[in-house]
Amino acid sequence: MIFQSRRPGPNFARRKKEVDTDKVKGIASWVIEIIIVVFIAFAIVYFVGMKSSVVGSSMSPTFEEGDTVLINRMIYKLTDPKANDIIVFMPNGNEKSHYYIKRVIAVPGDTVQIVDGVVYVNGEEFEEEIDVEEIENAQLAEDEIVLEDDEYFVLGDNRNNSEDSRYANIGNIKEEYIVGKVWFCTAKGRFGFAN
């Protein structure tokens, strides 16, 4: 019996494995698409949106203390706030304060007055999109308020436990102090789009 010794080195008799170019192209396509989606999501969150926590109970039952809201910072660069929008703003432009979250009741040029616990805008009863209590204290809105070209009148949904445009330390909200519109809320056990 004769034995042949095998010499170290390449064996050219073995077949090369063929690379499936269709699979490689498919995987590369998926990787590129995932990178693009992640980049777009990052850009939207960083440049368009932001999040904030609800402080206090002034927007109850719509939002409760500790809820997290997502804010669209871009929308009011394209359009103006409307009645019943829920906005986020800095009170009197104070950047050291927490963000306030309130519902827009009246827009520039409107007149607002609270009579016998009911809100009137331009002489007509304001159409609420939510159920609210009768207002016990009209404060500044006891007399008719005329909004300037860049002012908004806001109220909390918890009307008798809210520091809002009725009070001198908040007053009418200047457009330049509005951060954006609340569009989504996440909270323990519940989440949804803002009314």
Side-chain angles (χ1 to χ4, degrees):
M1 192 183 267
I2 300 174
F3 292 98
Q4 284 185 324
S5 65
R6 187 166 177 204
R7 288 192 287 166
N11 181 354
F12 293 106
R14 284 186 279 168
R15 286 183 59 189
K16 283 185 174 180
K17 286 188 179 180
E18 290 184 22
V19 177
D20 187 348
T21 55
D22 288 339
K23 282 186 182 178
V24 171
K25 286 179 182 177
I27 291 170
S29 174
W30 275 94
V31 170
I32 291 169
E33 287 176 13
I34 289 170
I35 290 170
I36 290 170
V37 168
V38 168
F39 176 76
I40 291 171
F42 174 79
I44 288 171
V45 170
Y46 188 77
F47 295 108
V48 176
M50 65 181 281
K51 70 178 186 171
S52 183
S53 293
V54 176
V55 177
S57 61
S58 71
M59 284 300 290
S60 180
T62 306
F63 305 126
E64 301 296 341
E65 179 158 9
D67 286 357
T68 299
V69 293
L70 301 181
I71 304 160
N72 182 337
R73 295 189 299 180
M74 198 69 169
I75 192 163
Y76 293 140
K77 292 182 184 353
L78 306 172
T79 183
D80 294 326
K82 297 183 282 305
N84 278 304
D85 281 2
I86 299 174
I87 63 168
V88 176
F89 63 94
M90 296 177 296
N92 299 312
N94 183 356
E95 294 180 8
K96 294 180 181 175
S97 174
H98 65 83
Y99 289 127
Y100 277 50
I101 301 171
K102 305 290 179 199
R103 186 177 298 274
V104 174
I105 302 301
V107 299
D110 285 348
T111 59
V112 183
Q113 189 172 17
I114 298 173
V115 180
D116 296 327
V118 178
V119 179
Y120 291 89
V121 177
N122 300 325
E124 296 183 15
E125 188 173 335
F126 180 70
E127 283 189 42
E128 301 280 4
E129 288 191 352
I130 56 162
D131 291 330
V132 294
E133 301 173 313
E134 188 175 280
I135 296 173
E136 295 171 2
N137 194 342
Q139 293 285 333
L140 296 175
E142 186 173 50
D143 298 319
E144 191 173 79
I145 297 171
V146 179
L147 298 174
E148 299 291 328
D149 289 342
D150 63 342
E151 292 181 334
Y152 294 83
F153 187 90
V154 299
L155 294 174
D157 289 352
N158 187 357
R159 298 288 158 84
N160 293 313
N161 188 20
S162 175
E163 189 178 26
D164 46 41
S165 290
R166 293 173 290 166
Y167 296 88
N169 60 327
I170 301 294
N172 299 332
I173 308 305
K174 297 276 189 192
E175 188 169 11
E176 64 185 291
Y177 301 148
I178 297 174
V179 175
K181 178 181 180 179
V182 174
W183 67 276
F184 196 79
C185 174
T186 60
K188 188 174 183 179
R190 63 187 176 89
F191 66 92
F193 291 95
N195 312 7

